Amino acid sequence: MQTLLVAPRAKPDHRTTALLASSVKALEMLGVWQACIPYAAPLRKLRIVDDTQRLFRAPETFFDAAEIELDAFGHNIENRHLVAALEARVSELGLSRITASALAVTSDAGGVTIKHADGEARVRLAIGADGARSLCRAAAGISTQRRAYPQTALTLNLGHTRPHGDTSTEFHTESGPFTLVPLPGQRSSLVCVLDPDRAAALSAMDDAALSAEIERRAHSHLGKMSVEPGRGIFPLAVETADAFAGERIALVGEAAHVVPPIGAQGLNLGLRDGATIAEILADARRDNLDVGAPQVLARYETQRRADVTSRTVAVDLLNRSLLTDFFPAHGARGLSLYLVDRIGPLRRAVMREGVAPAASQPRLMRGEMV
Ligand SMILES: Cc1cc2nc3c(=O)[nH]c(=O)nc-3n(C[C@H](O)[C@H](O)[C@H](O)COP(=O)(O)OP(=O)(O)OC[C@H]3O[C@@H](n4cnc5c(N)ncnc54)[C@H](O)[C@@H]3O)c2cc1C
């Protein structure tokens, strides 16, 4: 099976990605992770702190990867290093590559035509990994359900004077989570979810004022902070495609689903899509089936729908329980965290499901080749 990659070079990105252990395993199997190791920080502990001023506040909850016999829940890495490792592996494998955007995509019963700056390509199946404004999704005539949140994420990386101890700390506030995730050394990445005006005001601060403000919000638990150059502003929304495949087109990543950056789900879901479609196509080829056949793509839809829906609903519920003034929702969130904190088997089940969802673990993520 020949593969053609149609992708322009990535734009600069200061964000980081917390990759779960199953995603790291898949990248290892693909020969990508080895180049990431020097730049990745292990996430061994996770602390959730209810930093709201509400009457019903959840107890502080602490998760330790050692409790489920793991060295780490996953690793955090700057996107620029992850993208560089992927680019290097693409060159090493000699993958056919068109370093330009697809300009038009059309599909019919026999194949897909992709027009690009240097000409056009005809393929049996197009995998649309082209983001939230996907051209492939439009070509397949697939609509989406989208809801914007009244929130914006401010992202940046920073240095601090106290060690993070491989612990990611998530403060839950009335405007959304404020999450510090370890990077190698005494550095962390921040995703601070705020109302849009407040995010714009923080983003406009000079480095000294912003560092002091972030330290205040983090209750100085990592000591004195100093922000690094490069701030990002991302309006939050949730969006799910009505179908994950159309005529000879399959959608992966944000072309299929966008979730807010809460609980590090987005790219991990996207990598599960990628590993799943790879497995399905390898099986189809073994069975001498056409890789773009409707029954092959129907299998992809079936295998991905439950995982995407359950993660989207969980992130949405958690986020809305923070934003709402509806009193019982605070109680429900507090009670859930209390139970998870107190009941060991429940806590371990939550951790295991978070790292490696039992129902949707493609072979690559279990350490087997497709
Ligand atoms: C603030 C923030 C923090 C996040 N943190 C995490 C985290 O810790 N863990 C996690 O798992 N997820 C995280 N996410 C989510 C993660 O960033 C996304 O899930 C991920 O970037 C989606 O990847 P994607 O490739 O599907 O889409 P994109 O990142 O949007 O990439 C789409 C790609 O398609 C290319 N493209 C677009 N159109 C065309 C075309 N016509 N032809 C060819 N190429 C095209 C673009 O150039 C781009 O490279 C975070 C998101 C945000 C906003």
Side-chain angles (χ1 to χ4, degrees):
M1 191 158 40
Q2 275 189 311
T3 307
L4 172 68
L5 175 65
V6 182
R9 301 260 172 233
K11 297 195 186 87
D13 185 351
H14 291 282
R15 282 176 302 165
T16 69
T17 298
L19 292 166
L20 298 175
S22 50
S23 299
V24 170
K25 175 56 75 185
L27 292 171
E28 240 171 55
M29 298 298 295
L30 294 171
V32 173
W33 187 248
Q34 292 72 353
C36 296
I37 293 169
Y39 308 105
L43 307 177
R44 296 201 163 94
K45 293 168 193 146
L46 169 63
R47 206 175 130 224
I48 299 179
V49 182
D50 189 336
D51 205 16
T52 65
Q53 304 306 313
R54 290 175 175 144
L55 184 59
F56 259 136
R57 289 207 289 151
E60 185 169 316
T61 314
F62 195 77
F63 300 96
D64 188 337
E67 265 194 87
I68 52 168
E69 286 90 42
L70 278 182
D71 173 51
F73 292 119
H75 284 73
N76 193 35
I77 182 167
E78 288 171 70
N79 288 1
R80 63 195 172 104
H81 294 306
L82 178 58
V83 169
L86 288 162
E87 287 277 4
R89 190 67 179 137
V90 165
S91 306
E92 208 172 271
L93 291 173
L95 201 65
S96 301
R97 161 94 179 257
I98 289 161
T99 314
S101 292
L103 302 173
V105 175
T106 45
S107 78
D108 54 57
V112 184
T113 303
I114 301 165
K115 289 206 168 84
H116 51 82
D118 301 333
E120 66 177 47
R122 178 86 174 153
V123 294
R124 278 187 291 156
L125 171 71
I127 299 179
D130 49 349
R133 306 273 65 83
S134 168
L135 188 65
C136 289
R137 190 179 67 219
I142 297 171
S143 49
T144 64
Q145 304 300 319
R146 182 175 196 277
R147 194 172 59 246
Y149 290 113
Q151 292 163 298
T152 294
L154 168 68
T155 61
L156 52 85
N157 300 330
L158 45 81
H160 37 78
T161 53
R162 281 194 207 141
H164 47 56
D166 305 330
T167 304
S168 176
T169 305
E170 191 164 306
F171 294 95
H172 287 177
T173 78
E174 279 91 348
S175 62
F178 170 97
T179 309
L180 284 157
V181 191
L183 282 171
Q186 297 212 158
R187 296 173 67 224
S188 292
S189 58
L190 171 74
V191 177
C192 176
V193 178
L194 296 160
D195 75 70
D197 290 344
R198 195 76 197 115
L202 253 65
S203 174
M205 286 178 174
D206 65 32
D207 284 358
L210 183 57
S211 299
E213 175 61 14
I214 291 167
E215 186 182 327
R216 184 188 70 75
R217 287 173 182 253
H219 304 281
S220 297
H221 83 288
L222 292 176
K224 192 166 167 44
M225 290 176 156
S226 36
V227 299
E228 297 176 359
R231 302 171 188 181
I233 285 280
F234 298 87
L236 301 198
V238 62
E239 183 166 17
T240 312
D242 292 333
F244 294 159
E247 190 179 48
R248 293 191 174 271
I249 294 177
L251 304 177
V252 306
E254 290 204 340
H257 44 72
V258 178
V259 293
I262 297 171
Q265 294 299 322
L267 189 62
N268 287 290
L269 271 177
L271 291 173
R272 289 210 284 283
D273 298 339
T276 303
I277 190 79
E279 180 175 314
I280 289 172
L281 298 185
D283 289 351
R285 201 165 70 136
R286 260 192 297 272
D287 297 342
N288 283 322
L289 290 173
D290 172 358
V291 289
Q295 73 266 34
V296 173
L297 297 183
R299 199 176 143 206
Y300 176 62
E301 173 79 38
T302 309
Q303 288 198 12
R304 292 306 298 138
R305 185 58 68 175
D307 185 28
V308 170
T309 305
S310 62
R311 302 283 148 169
T312 306
V313 168
V315 170
D316 183 51
L317 274 179
L318 170 63
N319 192 31
R320 286 205 281 168
S321 78
L322 289 173
L323 289 180
T324 185
D325 286 327
F326 184 55
F327 186 61
H330 309 157
R333 182 170 53 85
L335 180 64
S336 311
L337 283 173
Y338 174 79
L339 292 174
V340 166
D341 187 51
R342 288 303 166 97
I343 305 173
L346 178 61
R347 191 172 61 253
R348 287 190 283 279
V350 166
M351 286 191 271
R352 283 201 187 92
E353 189 58 23
V355 173
S360 50
Q361 195 72 311
R363 292 201 285 268
L364 210 52
M365 297 193 159
R366 298 192 304 251
E368 300 162 29
M369 278 320 271
V370 288

